[in-house]
Amino acid sequence: MGNAVIRTEHLTKVYKARTEWEFSMGHMPTRRQYEATRALSDLNLTVEQGEIFGYLGPNGAGKTTTIRLLLDLIRPTSGRAFIFDMDANAQSVDVHKRIGFLPGELNLWKNRTARQVVNYFAQVRAGANAGLILRYAQELAERLGFNMNKPVRDYSSGNKRKLGLILALMHKPDLLILDEPTSGLDPLMQQTFNQLMLEVKEEGRTVFMSSHVLSEVQAICDRVGILRRGELKAVESVSKLTHTDFRWVTVRLKEPVSVDTFKGIEGVSDVSAVNGELRFRLTGDFDPLLRALSQHYVVDLHTQDPTLEEIFLAFYGDQPVRNHNNDAAVKEQVQ
Amino acid sequence: MSVGLIFGDTLRQNWRQILYWGGGLGLLAVYVFIAIPDMNALQQYANLVKALPPAILEAFGMSDAEMLATPDGFIIFGVFSYGILIMAVFAVMAGMGVTANEEDDGILDMVLSLPLPRWRLVVEKTLAYLVIAVGIVAVMFIALAVGTNFSGLEIREQVHLDIMAKSAINLLPSVTLMITATVFAGAFFRRKAIAMGVVAAFIIVSYFMDFLAEVASGALSEFMKAASFFTYFNSEGVMREGLNFSNIALLLGVSIVLFVASIWAFQRRDIGA
């Protein structure tokens, strides 16, 4: 730890208001009006070498915008991004030599086989020295149980994800930028993915990944940052965050009970009734709740861990950003 | 990264287009030869066409009906005047293949995450499509030369292959212009549908301006003639006077400007949605 691999300085992206016309055969052109959107606001973020950094937030929070800015696919309205101390825009070609990227939705040439795509990417990356890359790509394909001989159009979404992972990992990049890497992977493959990421970390390489999966983030991430409405709300170590003390509880009772019955119970909040079930948030011990439930006939009861976003909100609510990077924590006030 | 890798890959993926488009145009040439069995039939056809108003004649790419009475004139009318319109469709499809298709399909995100400057993608792919255009025209010319065997001896003896070769070469500057115009539209506009609409409008308006200039008069006619790139294609002029190098220079000059503008536009804008 100690060397910043990714560093952003007041990175902001505003999409301008625009009007678009859509044309389709047999229909009148339709006009779509898009308002100006502040997709990312004054992002100050540092990701250190050798860590696995989870980047979290609900849809539309700005995660993909951040990733696209880091890759120079889009340009910032203001601010700058540095990767390996190189400007992500001005030195993008040098930066990309050291990056592996997996987009949220992998799109490739549908008529080519995975092997042809892998060969092409290896050639672009290494030219005549593509052999090493191709050998490792084959090794990755075997570990992921992936057959590279089919046309891309014939792969399921899970297999496309595997192909994306192979393309991102095959040249052993110093930095992996992964957008929702495990969506579509079965649990067994998720374990393989976790193992691969831990190997990357052991080799001193860095992973920057967006995710919604708590178990995945808990298993592999060192730190997480959460975005809401384009603003970085907090950066925190996973171990600290996951020691949170609440969960969601759903109870089905034989006889209908008023929501108010549960509102006074110690630790219970956010009570709602949905489809004959009561759902609420329980903070602290179960005992007060179990004592209250003993007055009723309980048909079913189950608990659910909070999502990371919920944990973050429990921690910070709508407070300004808290970035616990290191001892020299960045404490920027988001506008 | 190896120079020419994207160029080679684009050629590998698209070389069949040379056969499809070149073969299609070649079949058109063969059909034209079959349609003119002898000089008498040609003269009858020319007499029929003479009755048409000049603007209609111009719409079919010919201003002098008398030329249709010659085998060379009839082939230029039948093959190259339609050929440029068919090649316009190819040019738009090829130009869209440089950036617009892959951007619209979301493939460009992966491609541009590679250590690859954006300008290089535009340059190498455009050059590959220009080579394909040359290939198509070459296949078309070969088919045309072979096609002379399908006409009668009288016609065959009067066809000048050197004029046909010049007419085939004369297609290329206009096709280059249409390809680079499409590349520019694809590089400038993020939406493929808009890019395609703009370039289609450019070609169609140019085409109509070229033949409507015949019925217009004075300064308007002059302006319409000058503004339409079809004026500089002028396949009839090639038959009479050979290749017009100032026209070729103008078309290629505008193509270069559009090509440079494409690189500039693509280099500076956001990619994708």
Side-chain angles (χ1 to χ4, degrees):
Chain A
M1 295 269 184
N3 295 327
V5 170
I6 297 175
R7 181 163 51 88
T8 66
E9 293 176 355
H10 307 287
L11 198 62
T12 300
K13 180 66 181 176
V14 179
Y15 291 108
K16 290 176 190 163
R18 65 186 198 276
T19 304
E20 280 183 6
W21 289 90
E22 285 189 358
F23 304 92
S24 57
M25 295 292 281
H27 297 280
M28 292 292 287
T30 51
R31 194 175 79 150
R32 280 194 179 182
Q33 193 85 35
Y34 294 91
E35 289 179 3
T37 313
R38 199 173 182 84
L40 195 65
S41 201
D42 207 24
L43 177 72
N44 293 287
L45 176 71
T46 306
V47 177
E48 305 290 349
Q49 186 190 337
E51 72 172 329
I52 302 179
F53 189 93
Y55 201 50
L56 309 163
N59 290 339
K63 301 189 298 292
T64 302
T65 297
T66 307
I67 287 173
R68 294 176 70 79
L69 284 164
L70 291 175
L71 287 160
D72 191 40
L73 294 172
I74 57 174
R75 305 283 161 64
T77 307
S78 62
R80 296 172 79 183
F82 297 90
I83 297 178
F84 304 115
D85 284 329
M86 292 183 279
D87 189 299
N89 169 225
Q91 295 164 283
S92 64
V93 175
D94 290 325
V95 168
H96 290 186
K97 284 178 187 167
R98 299 176 66 183
I99 284 182
F101 169 53
L102 173 67
E105 192 184 338
L106 181 71
N107 294 298
L108 292 163
W109 305 276
K110 291 184 172 62
N111 293 329
R112 298 194 195 188
T113 64
R115 193 174 297 282
Q116 286 172 328
V117 174
V118 166
N119 281 344
Y120 179 62
F121 275 52
Q123 291 281 333
V124 173
R125 287 205 173 274
N129 302 318
L132 273 177
I133 292 179
L134 291 173
R135 266 197 292 282
Y136 187 53
Q138 185 60 44
E139 192 185 309
L140 286 167
E142 283 162 19
R143 285 184 71 176
L144 291 165
F146 180 69
N147 172 7
M148 291 208 282
N149 297 321
K150 287 187 190 173
V152 169
R153 66 167 174 270
D154 290 347
Y155 288 117
S156 65
S157 58
N159 273 325
K160 273 190 192 159
R161 216 79 202 128
K162 290 178 188 176
L163 173 57
L165 282 171
I166 292 168
L167 293 171
L169 286 160
M170 65 184 190
H171 54 293
K172 297 195 172 181
D174 294 324
L175 169 64
L176 279 160
I177 296 180
L178 313 173
D179 197 354
E180 303 281 351
T182 58
S183 67
L185 288 184
D186 60 51
L188 205 62
M189 279 305 128
Q190 285 185 22
Q191 282 199 338
T192 308
F193 168 79
N194 289 353
Q195 185 57 39
L196 282 166
M197 292 304 104
L198 292 172
E199 286 171 20
V200 167
K201 187 187 166 184
E202 272 172 24
E203 290 166 12
R205 298 188 278 142
T206 310
V207 181
F208 180 83
M209 56 181 268
S210 71
S211 177
H212 279 105
V213 185
L214 176 61
S215 57
E216 169 183 283
V217 170
Q218 274 179 315
I220 61 172
C221 287
D222 300 299
R223 290 190 306 146
V224 286
I226 191 159
L227 274 183
R228 288 187 74 207
R229 293 190 287 269
E231 295 179 359
L232 183 67
K233 288 294 177 189
V235 176
E236 193 59 85
S237 74
V238 171
S239 55
K240 184 174 175 185
L241 278 171
T242 49
H243 278 91
T244 189
D245 197 22
F246 79 88
R247 78 281 293 155
W248 290 99
V249 179
T250 306
V251 184
R252 180 181 290 276
L253 301 174
K254 197 167 187 179
E255 303 294 333
V257 175
S258 161
V259 168
D260 295 334
T261 313
F262 283 81
K263 280 189 174 165
I265 301 169
E266 187 186 332
V268 170
S269 60
D270 299 333
V271 187
S272 61
V274 182
N275 299 330
E277 291 182 336
L278 288 169
R279 188 167 191 270
F280 48 85
R281 191 162 126 161
L282 178 68
T283 308
D285 296 338
F286 262 94
D287 195 62
L289 172 67
L290 293 176
R291 284 177 194 280
L293 285 175
S294 68
Q295 310 297 314
H296 307 275
Y297 189 98
V298 179
V299 177
D300 192 14
L301 182 150
H302 54 93
T303 64
Q304 184 188 350
D305 285 334
T307 64
L308 270 170
E309 285 87 353
E310 287 166 341
I311 295 172
F312 262 107
L313 290 178
F315 258 66
Y316 303 116
D318 280 334
Q319 290 171 29
V321 66
R322 287 171 56 183
N323 189 340
H324 299 246
N325 268 334
N326 293 309
D327 293 339
V330 178
K331 292 189 177 174
E332 293 285 343
Q333 188 77 25
V334 174
Q335 291 172 350
Chain B
M1 196 198 109
S2 317
V3 174
L5 195 67
I6 298 165
F7 174 81
D9 181 71
T10 309
L11 275 187
R12 254 193 310 281
Q13 296 298 323
N14 295 284
W15 67 270
R16 289 178 191 84
Q17 292 198 37
I18 294 174
L19 301 182
Y20 302 151
W21 289 91
L25 286 163
L27 283 175
L28 175 67
V30 170
Y31 169 76
V32 167
F33 280 112
I34 292 170
I36 47 167
D38 51 46
M39 290 300 289
N40 188 35
L42 209 52
Q43 189 58 56
Q44 283 176 21
Y45 190 76
N47 291 338
L48 195 69
V49 170
K50 271 180 201 170
L52 293 173
I56 300 296
L57 201 56
E58 188 72 24
F60 291 107
M62 187 64 63
S63 59
D64 182 1
E66 205 55 58
M67 282 180 67
L68 286 172
T70 66
D72 289 342
F74 189 82
I75 292 163
I76 283 171
F77 165 72
V79 178
F80 294 101
S81 299
Y82 290 111
I84 187 69
L85 299 179
I86 293 168
M87 286 301 283
V89 179
F90 163 77
V92 173
M93 289 173 68
M96 285 287 151
V98 173
T99 60
N101 288 344
E102 288 184 357
E103 182 169 15
D104 199 57
D105 293 341
I107 298 171
L108 219 47
D109 285 6
M110 280 302 281
V111 173
L112 291 179
S113 74
L114 295 167
L116 175 70
R118 292 185 186 186
W119 64 262
R120 195 140 149 193
L121 188 79
V122 177
V123 169
E124 292 200 18
K125 291 193 94 169
T126 305
L127 290 177
Y129 280 113
L130 290 176
V131 168
I132 289 167
V134 172
I136 291 170
V137 171
V139 169
M140 174 197 182
F141 174 72
I142 291 165
L144 195 147
V146 173
T148 55
N149 295 311
F150 290 91
S151 63
L153 184 64
E154 192 184 12
I155 297 284
R156 200 182 312 159
E157 284 175 345
Q158 291 192 46
V159 172
H160 296 92
L161 280 180
D162 61 326
I163 291 177
M164 297 303 119
K166 285 174 187 166
S167 297
I169 292 167
N170 187 51
L171 279 172
L172 289 171
S174 300
V175 172
T176 303
L177 177 78
M178 289 188 282
I179 289 176
T180 51
T182 313
V183 173
F184 174 70
F188 189 81
F189 299 104
R190 268 199 287 178
R191 299 279 167 246
K192 179 182 165 183
I194 295 172
M196 201 181 261
V198 166
V199 81
F202 164 68
I203 293 169
I204 292 167
V205 168
S206 288
Y207 181 71
F208 278 94
M209 278 168 66
D210 181 48
F211 77 81
L212 288 177
E214 285 298 311
V215 287
S217 57
L220 179 63
S221 171
E222 290 300 311
F223 167 77
M224 288 166 81
K225 275 272 171 201
S228 167
F229 76 89
F230 282 96
T231 304
Y232 308 99
F233 168 59
N234 190 16
S235 53
E236 249 183 278
V238 173
M239 182 185 157
R240 281 200 214 95
E241 296 140 22
L243 289 167
N244 183 326
F245 289 100
S246 59
N247 281 355
I248 290 173
L250 182 70
L251 289 169
L252 292 181
V254 175
S255 300
I256 290 167
V257 170
L258 286 168
F259 185 47
V260 172
S262 307
I263 294 166
W264 172 80
F266 192 61
Q267 197 73 29
R268 64 192 294 275
R269 75 163 166 86
D270 289 352
I271 300 295

